[in-house]
Amino acid sequence: MQNNVDWPSVWAVSPEQLLETARSLVQRAYAPYSRFPVGAALLTEKMEVFGGCNIENGSYGLTICAERVAIGNWRCRSDAPILAIAIVAADIGPCYPCGACRQVLQEFAPDVKVLLEDWENGKKPLLLPMQDLYPYPFRP
């Protein structure tokens, strides 16, 4: 795995399993406007996995990204800290989270590990710490 951080061996869910969950959620995306379906799967300390897909709207500002859908699913059903999130887009990668998603992830999981598929490197997993993706978050 190409990365800047290591995937802890004590985690019962492998990076490949988390990526596969995110890949399966790409098929659930509603992206008729951008034609850019994305799936996300997050992993908690209790080894729970919560998923999301992007859901677009004709009023573009109402569109919600896969990462924020996954965060919403987690928040409704768990109190366990978030350890990692896998993000996958159809036919392209790595699919980095947008600025809004980076801020939301930082709010709920500042130490989250972000797992991506690096298509430029044979679809190998790429694991990055949130601090590398968003070094200067907004703080209230």
Side-chain angles (χ1 to χ4, degrees):
M1 177 183 309
Q2 176 189 8
N3 58 41
N4 291 337
V5 293
D6 292 321
W7 190 269
S9 60
V10 295
W11 291 359
V13 176
S14 73
E16 292 77 18
Q17 289 170 312
L18 201 61
L19 282 167
E20 183 54 40
T21 299
R23 270 187 226 108
S24 72
L25 291 164
V26 168
Q27 306 306 313
R28 302 289 307 156
Y30 178 73
Y33 308 107
S34 72
R35 301 201 191 324
F36 191 75
V38 178
L42 63 81
L43 176 66
T44 73
E45 212 171 68
K46 292 180 180 177
M47 297 298 115
E48 303 161 307
V49 175
F50 296 96
C53 59
N54 57 325
I55 303 168
E56 295 182 349
N57 191 277
S59 175
Y60 298 135
L62 300 179
T63 293
I64 186 166
C65 298
E67 300 92 324
R68 287 181 278 150
V69 172
I71 289 280
N73 283 331
W74 158 80
R75 186 72 181 148
C76 288
R77 299 174 27 216
S78 181
D79 60 359
I82 299 169
L83 300 174
I85 186 165
I87 306 163
V88 175
D91 304 324
I92 192 168
C95 180
Y96 296 97
C98 73
C101 288
R102 291 176 198 208
Q103 178 62 39
V104 171
L105 285 166
Q106 195 285 324
E107 176 101 4
F108 290 103
D111 297 320
V112 70
K113 292 170 177 34
V114 180
L115 181 62
L116 311 168
E117 281 187 321
D118 189 352
W119 282 55
E120 297 164 0
N121 196 11
K123 290 178 74 173
K124 291 184 180 174
L126 175 64
L127 189 63
L128 300 168
M130 188 63 199
Q131 294 83 357
D132 282 5
L133 292 172
Y134 198 39
Y136 304 107
F138 175 80
R139 300 199 194 281

